Amino acid sequence: MAYDPSNIFARILRGEIPCRKVFENAHALAFRDVNPQSPVHILVIPKGEYVSLDDFSATASPDEIVDLIRAVGEVARAQGVAASGYRILANSGADSRQEVPHLHIHIFGGKKLGRMLPKD
Ligand code: AMP
């Protein structure tokens, strides 16, 4: 799938719409999900134009990959869920019901998270 620069996270990265930023490094931005599913629900995104983990894992530079993964760890520690536990999730493609076509890693925490996948 070609990258669509009008997607909502691209607009956040360009500063066209606001976000509740919690962390940023050279290649990644983290902000609160607008519709949180747990007490801690943060999205970590690369600043580069990647639709999903599929193309990011295949084509991102080592620096971009390091910064994205480091950002996840930094955010989890800063949000106080590293010790209690948390879950990361990155929907990729239609079967996963990915809604926004810019790679984003969800960080969920702050409560017992239940089953890894719903039954349906
Ligand atoms: P996914 O289904 O994995 O593509 O998740 C997309 C996520 O983006 C959902 O959890 C939405 O609540 C979240 N979201 C959509 N628009 C915004 C926004 N403007 N700021 C923060 N989170 C958003």
Side-chain angles (χ1 to χ4, degrees), residues 8-9 12 17 31-35 41 43 89 91 97-100 104 106:
I8 193 134
F9 294 166
I12 286 174
I17 59 171
F31 52 92
R32 297 192 186 282
D33 194 291
V34 76
N35 183 24
H41 185 176
L43 302 173
L89 182 152
N91 290 317
R97 299 191 185 177
Q98 181 182 1
E99 290 175 1
V100 180
H104 47 286
H106 297 257

Side-chain angles (χ1 to χ4, degrees), residues 73-108:
E74 293 267 4
V75 168
R77 288 188 290 276
Q79 295 294 317
V81 296
S84 53
Y86 62 96
R87 180 173 295 156
I88 64 170
L89 182 152
N91 290 317
S92 182
D95 278 1
S96 74
R97 299 191 185 177
Q98 181 182 1
E99 290 175 1
V100 180
H102 182 114
L103 169 60
H104 47 286
I105 297 178
H106 297 257
I107 302 176
F108 300 105

Side-chain angles (χ1 to χ4, degrees), residues 3 13 23-30 44-73 102-105:
Y3 186 81
L13 285 165
F23 180 80
E24 182 174 14
N25 62 25
H27 297 104
L29 174 69
V44 185
I45 68 173
K47 293 181 177 177
E49 296 186 344
Y50 299 97
V51 174
S52 71
L53 195 65
D54 184 50
D55 59 335
F56 185 79
S57 62
T59 64
S61 70
D63 283 351
E64 289 176 302
I65 294 169
V66 166
D67 272 7
L68 190 74
I69 298 302
R70 292 263 194 240
V72 170
H102 182 114
L103 169 60
H104 47 286
I105 297 178

